[in-house]
Amino acid sequence: MSTAPMAQAAEILLVEDSETQALQLRHMLETNGFRVSWHSTAEAALDGLNEKLPDLVIADYHLPGMNGDELTRQMRLNVRTRAIPVIMLTEARERTVERQGLESGADAYISKSAEQELILLRIKALLRRRSSLISNEQEERQSPSFGTFRRACILIVDDSLTRRTYLQDMLAHEGYAVTAAADPAEALRLVHSADATWDCILVNLLSPSFDGIELCRQLNLYRGLAPLPGTDAPSFAIVGLGHEEGGQLLARAFAAGVDDIIPTSIEADGMRVRIRALVRRKLMQDENWRIEAELREREIALARARAEAASADALAKANRELEEANDLLKGTQAQLVQAAKMASLGELVAGIAHEINNPLAFIQAHQGTVERLLTEIEGKLPPEVGLERQVRKSLDRIGAMKLGLGRIQELVLNLRRFSRLDEGDFQTVNVPESIETVLALLGHKLGTRIDVRRHYNAVPDLYCSPALLNQVVMNIVGNAADAIKGTGGIDIDTESNETTYTIRITDTGPGIPPELRERIFEPFFTTKPVGSGTGLGLAIAYSVVQAHKGSITVNTGPAGGASFIITIPRQIVS
């Protein structure tokens, strides 16, 4: 018999040790549209199941090594393979062999000598149930939820009271919950009831009072539809009680949706085994649905948790980026304030220098002229006039004026050196000279109450930006002078080696508490009273040191005050 290929060719795993019989079966199956893979041993088949899962397994009962029943038993113990249909093949006609195969978990027992039509009908019946389960999963219908243990529910439809009673007693003895119906109307009413959970329905195909095949067709249509939107479609096995020896009845029954046909003449033991195999398969499918539903729910919950975690991480990342942007904005603002301040200072210094230098040069020129004339007058004055004392006193006053003018000139020079308006790039700077310039400009703060002790142990020249010494040293020394109440001292030490240059400034003030040491370099943070500081001095000092790829730290000095350590890498300029 040849049929049209299926829309989606089913994958069949054939386990047969005889190469000749395997080729015959493979040819027959592939001719009817199936895809076939073949293994000669059960062990090789199990290894193949670890990779791609087939839609159905056909296994010979007698195999070298592990038999077909043990292969089936191993498959039923694995969650991935427990619901795969298994057809057992053998040449033996003994019912004991059939019973062993079915009890191991096989779904059907077929003799190798059976007609091809019967084999194909069996395969398609099992695959029809398999494909309906797959389509249900694709529609994402929620699988039925059952407990770990429950009694299988069986419905018997037979117009013979004697046969109904016989089957009901036999199956009830097996532990099933059995209900009997005498006609299709009663059977359909029971099947359509809201609380119905049928696992297997036995229909007498040879009943004289109703059409058993038509009832099977109605049952097959019903189990493919959900009673209400959002509910699960019923799933139950349909078993026909009739003749198994082929014929038109067999084909019509399988076409109507029957999953298996049990001969009415079969022994009670054989019927129990056949029904047990069908019910076991149905319960395993339900359990698989439940497990897969739980796995889907866990995957959804895990995906939701990951999404929430990712959202939390994204929020934390956004907060970090915002904080970094805020810090950068503060630093930029501090730099802009400092740039504006330095620009204003530059304009102020330039104006002062211009306004002072012109009259200063005029006074110095006339001072020299007056001093020269007084010297000439002193040499030409007659002794009897008596003006020697007055002239000498005038010359002394002119000398004092010259000293004052020199100090004014030095002050202007120090201001120009500090602002470095024309020296913004890196250059070689004399460190002691620059520090002395800063101390001279801070003389009004230091006065006589603060003793500044210099310890210049490093090499004098340093290749750096003049701002390192002008701004950083001035800010730290100025803050130290403000922190010292009354009299005290400030120590300035310089040290150097081949790679680094260190400036250490230590005071005898109250020091900086440990909890504030990490914040004193933040822009606009200050411990001074309102109106006494902007909180930019140390922030600017920190940025200047960072620009030199160095570090600035604060510790507690030997006398309990603050000790600032500025360390920068030395740059050798040839």
Side-chain angles (χ1 to χ4, degrees):
M1 176 180 178
S2 178
T3 61
M6 301 177 66
Q8 290 183 351
E11 184 76 30
I12 295 179
L13 173 60
L14 177 61
V15 188
E16 171 62 66
D17 61 328
S18 172
E19 185 174 356
T20 302
Q21 293 180 353
L23 288 174
Q24 293 175 353
L25 286 170
R26 186 167 190 171
H27 175 72
M28 183 265 292
L29 294 171
E30 290 179 346
T31 302
N32 285 273
F34 299 108
R35 292 180 297 161
V36 182
S37 58
W38 170 58
H39 291 293
S40 60
T41 65
E43 290 81 3
L46 289 176
D47 291 337
L49 291 173
N50 287 328
E51 300 175 0
K52 184 178 180 180
L53 295 181
D55 297 298
L56 182 139
V57 175
I58 300 177
D60 188 1
Y61 183 85
H62 298 287
L63 292 171
M66 184 187 297
N67 273 338
D69 60 341
E70 182 60 27
L71 168 64
T72 307
R73 191 173 292 108
Q74 292 293 329
M75 290 176 58
R76 295 302 180 240
L77 293 175
N78 189 285
V79 176
R80 294 179 67 248
T81 60
R82 65 192 302 180
I84 298 177
V86 177
I87 294 178
M88 194 74 68
L89 294 177
T90 184
E91 291 290 351
R93 303 295 293 178
E94 294 84 7
R95 289 300 180 184
T96 57
V97 175
E98 178 183 1
R99 177 174 181 176
Q100 290 177 9
L102 293 175
E103 287 186 341
S104 66
D107 297 282
Y109 167 92
I110 301 178
S111 173
K112 291 182 181 180
S113 59
E115 297 180 0
Q116 289 188 8
E117 182 180 4
L118 176 60
I119 297 176
L120 291 174
L121 287 173
R122 288 283 193 179
I123 292 174
K124 291 178 180 179
L126 289 171
L127 289 177
R128 181 171 60 238
R129 295 297 301 131
R130 177 71 173 173
S131 62
S132 67
L133 300 181
I134 294 175
S135 65
N136 285 344
E137 293 177 1
Q138 292 174 346
E139 294 172 5
E140 295 184 355
R141 292 176 179 170
Q142 188 177 6
S143 59
S145 177
F146 298 114
T148 305
F149 299 101
R150 74 177 186 89
R151 295 178 66 192
C153 298
I154 297 179
L155 174 62
I156 301 172
V157 186
D158 199 322
D159 58 353
S160 171
L161 177 60
T162 304
R163 195 161 36 245
R164 287 202 311 269
T165 304
Y166 164 72
L167 292 174
Q168 191 168 6
D169 291 342
M170 179 186 66
L171 296 176
H173 184 71
E174 290 286 306
Y176 303 127
V178 185
T179 304
D183 55 71
E186 183 181 2
L188 292 175
R189 181 183 61 79
L190 292 171
V191 170
H192 286 76
S193 60
D195 57 347
T197 55
W198 302 108
D199 297 298
C200 180
I201 299 179
L202 274 66
V203 179
N204 185 5
L205 301 179
L206 305 176
S207 177
S209 63
F210 63 84
D211 188 347
I213 293 180
E214 178 60 27
L215 175 59
C216 291
R217 183 176 292 107
Q218 293 183 34
L219 293 173
N220 185 47
L221 290 174
Y222 175 70
R223 69 180 176 181
L225 300 174
L228 294 173
T231 60
D232 302 320
S235 61
F236 46 78
I238 301 176
V239 178
L241 300 177
H243 298 303
E244 196 180 28
E245 284 76 15
Q248 188 65 23
L249 178 66
L250 190 67
R252 289 176 57 211
F254 278 112
V258 172
D259 298 297
D260 197 4
I261 294 180
I262 300 177
T264 55
S265 59
I266 194 173
E267 296 177 357
D269 193 33
M271 179 174 288
R272 280 195 294 265
V273 171
R274 297 280 288 270
I275 293 176
R276 188 183 306 148
L278 286 167
V279 171
R280 179 177 62 242
R281 173 170 169 75
K282 165 64 170 55
L283 294 180
M284 284 193 301
Q285 289 173 347
D286 291 345
E287 180 67 11
N288 271 10
W289 287 350
R290 186 183 64 82
I291 293 173
E292 290 169 3
E294 290 180 358
L295 290 177
R296 285 196 297 270
E297 290 177 0
R298 292 180 183 179
E299 289 175 357
I300 293 173
L302 181 60
R304 186 182 299 112
R306 287 177 176 172
E308 292 175 355
S311 177
D313 292 341
L315 181 60
K317 181 180 179 181
N319 287 338
R320 289 194 301 269
E321 292 176 352
L322 183 61
E323 185 177 354
E324 291 174 0
N326 189 32
D327 293 339
L328 181 61
L329 181 61
K330 285 184 178 181
T332 303
Q333 184 179 6
Q335 293 176 2
L336 290 175
V337 171
Q338 177 65 10
K341 185 169 70 173
M342 293 304 295
S344 300
L345 179 61
E347 293 178 1
L348 178 63
V349 169
I352 291 176
H354 178 74
E355 294 298 329
I356 293 179
N357 276 336
N358 287 337
L360 181 62
F362 175 78
I363 294 173
Q364 285 180 330
H366 286 287
Q367 178 265 336
T369 301
V370 173
E371 185 178 13
R372 186 174 60 257
L373 290 175
L374 285 176
T375 303
E376 292 178 358
I377 292 174
E378 183 182 22
K380 296 179 181 180
L381 205 76
E384 62 274 8
V385 177
L387 297 175
E388 294 85 352
R389 184 171 175 273
Q390 288 83 352
V391 172
R392 174 50 51 190
K393 188 174 181 181
S394 298
L395 287 173
D396 293 338
R397 294 291 185 272
I398 291 295
M401 290 172 58
K402 183 178 181 180
L403 180 62
L405 292 173
R407 293 186 63 182
I408 294 174
Q409 187 176 22
E410 183 181 359
L411 178 62
V412 173
L413 180 61
N414 285 335
L415 285 174
R416 292 184 61 84
R417 286 177 178 173
F418 174 76
S419 62
R420 300 281 186 173
L421 299 179
D422 55 347
E423 298 176 354
D425 296 332
F426 278 52
Q427 56 186 279
T428 301
V429 178
N430 186 286
V431 175
E433 180 182 336
S434 296
I435 294 177
E436 291 301 326
T437 299
V438 171
L439 295 176
L441 293 176
L442 291 175
H444 66 287
K445 277 191 174 184
L446 302 174
T448 58
R449 70 182 183 90
I450 297 178
D451 180 22
V452 180
R453 297 177 286 268
R454 291 92 158 165
H455 308 279
Y456 301 138
N457 300 317
V459 294
D461 293 335
L462 174 65
Y463 185 75
C464 65
S465 169
L468 175 69
L469 298 167
N470 291 348
Q471 294 177 281
V472 177
V473 174
M474 172 167 275
N475 284 328
I476 296 176
V477 173
N479 287 342
D482 293 336
I484 297 174
K485 304 303 180 183
T487 60
I490 298 176
D491 291 278
I492 302 177
D493 301 86
T494 63
E495 298 176 357
S496 64
N497 53 34
E498 295 181 355
T499 58
T500 59
Y501 200 104
T502 303
I503 301 175
R504 183 181 289 102
I505 302 174
T506 307
D507 62 63
T508 59
I512 301 174
E515 62 272 12
L516 298 180
R517 291 178 184 175
E518 294 184 358
R519 299 193 60 195
I520 59 173
F521 297 110
E522 295 179 4
F524 308 106
F525 176 80
T526 179
T527 58
K528 296 179 181 180
V530 177
S532 300
T534 61
L536 291 176
L538 291 179
I540 294 170
Y542 182 82
S543 63
V544 170
V545 174
Q546 287 291 105
H548 285 76
K549 302 186 185 307
S551 64
I552 178 171
T553 58
V554 58
N555 296 316
T556 302
S563 177
F564 285 85
I565 303 173
I566 305 161
T567 304
I568 63 171
R570 290 185 62 187
Q571 300 185 39
I572 307 300
V573 180
S574 58

